Amino acid sequence: TLKPASPEWKDSLFDLGNLLHEREKHEEAIGTLEEAIERYPDDPRKLMAKYEIGESYRQWAKQLFAEAQQTRNGNEHDKALQVVNNRLTAALKQFEDVQRTITLKSHDIHSDPLVGAMLRNCYMLEGAVLFDLGRYKEAIEAYSNVSSLYPDEPFVLETFVQIANCWRRLNRRDNARGAVHQAQIVLDRLPANS
């Protein structure tokens, strides 16, 4: 019999949430994945579900922001931006939670590629969300965490570019140039086949 306590029900709920996330049905994905986490808090898929909830909130905020840019009515625009900020804040909470869970469980991020990628993405996405929220110094910190955890990986170049963008928003041109210079140093150190 198919009941909420059955493994098939649990698997279906997580799979449905994942499918909705992939199909960019953000509101439905968030609701389904939150239900799965609430019903099955000890399931190992909880971490990935929280990550997908965060990414759904972030993508949903991006969609609304694009729509808000088209709105001519100032009041509607302001309301939409408040909803965007709320969704970004919800996304940030999920990414921080996933990152904290991975860090506290002392996962070996280099031996478990999925967990390592999720941690790296959480730091990067935290930085992106903080940037979108206008919290540039916190974004710099998030991006810096990536560059110190993965110093020899090619994607670290992007972190320095994002750090430079944050410094530009803070009107600190010298710091921005310093970040670009760091990127050049890392690029020179990378093997040619990276």
Side-chain angles (χ1 to χ4, degrees), residues 107-122:
H107 285 283
D108 181 1
I109 59 172
H110 301 294
S111 68
D112 187 342
L114 178 63
V115 172
M118 204 180 323
L119 181 63
R120 177 197 68 220
N121 291 349
C122 282

Side-chain angles (χ1 to χ4, degrees), residues 56-74:
S56 286
Y57 270 120
R58 189 179 78 84
Q59 292 296 329
W60 198 17
K62 283 176 66 172
Q63 282 179 344
L64 183 57
F65 183 75
E67 292 167 15
Q69 298 304 93
Q70 307 293 326
T71 305
R72 303 218 187 275
N73 182 326

Side-chain angles (χ1 to χ4, degrees), residues 39-167:
R39 281 183 186 264
Y40 313 105
D42 298 326
D43 192 280
R45 291 171 287 191
K46 176 181 175 179
L47 199 61
M48 180 58 81
K50 289 180 84 56
Y51 175 81
E52 288 179 343
I53 290 169
E55 185 57 7
S56 286
Y57 270 120
R58 189 179 78 84
Q59 292 296 329
W60 198 17
K62 283 176 66 172
Q63 282 179 344
L64 183 57
F65 183 75
E67 292 167 15
Q69 298 304 93
Q70 307 293 326
T71 305
R72 303 218 187 275
N73 182 326
N75 195 27
E76 286 179 29
H77 180 77
D78 292 345
K79 284 181 184 176
L81 289 182
Q82 183 58 48
V83 174
V84 166
N85 283 342
N86 291 343
R87 289 179 186 167
L88 288 172
T89 301
L92 180 62
K93 181 184 179 305
Q94 295 297 323
F95 295 138
E96 288 173 339
D97 206 27
V98 170
Q99 178 265 321
R100 191 178 311 107
T101 301
I102 292 170
T103 304
L104 291 176
K105 287 192 176 178
S106 301
H107 285 283
D108 181 1
I109 59 172
H110 301 294
S111 68
D112 187 342
L114 178 63
V115 172
M118 204 180 323
L119 181 63
R120 177 197 68 220
N121 291 349
C122 282
Y123 281 126
M124 290 296 286
L125 292 168
E126 282 176 38
V129 168
L130 289 164
F131 182 89
D132 290 342
L133 287 167
R135 295 163 55 182
Y136 304 117
K137 287 189 178 180
E138 293 172 74
I140 290 168
E141 186 178 326
Y143 287 128
S144 295
N145 286 333
V146 176
S147 63
S148 56
L149 277 172
Y150 307 91
D152 300 323
E153 298 290 335
F155 62 80
V156 168
L157 295 172
E158 184 182 345
T159 66
F160 290 114
V161 171
Q162 297 303 334
I163 289 170
N165 289 335
C166 291
W167 285 124

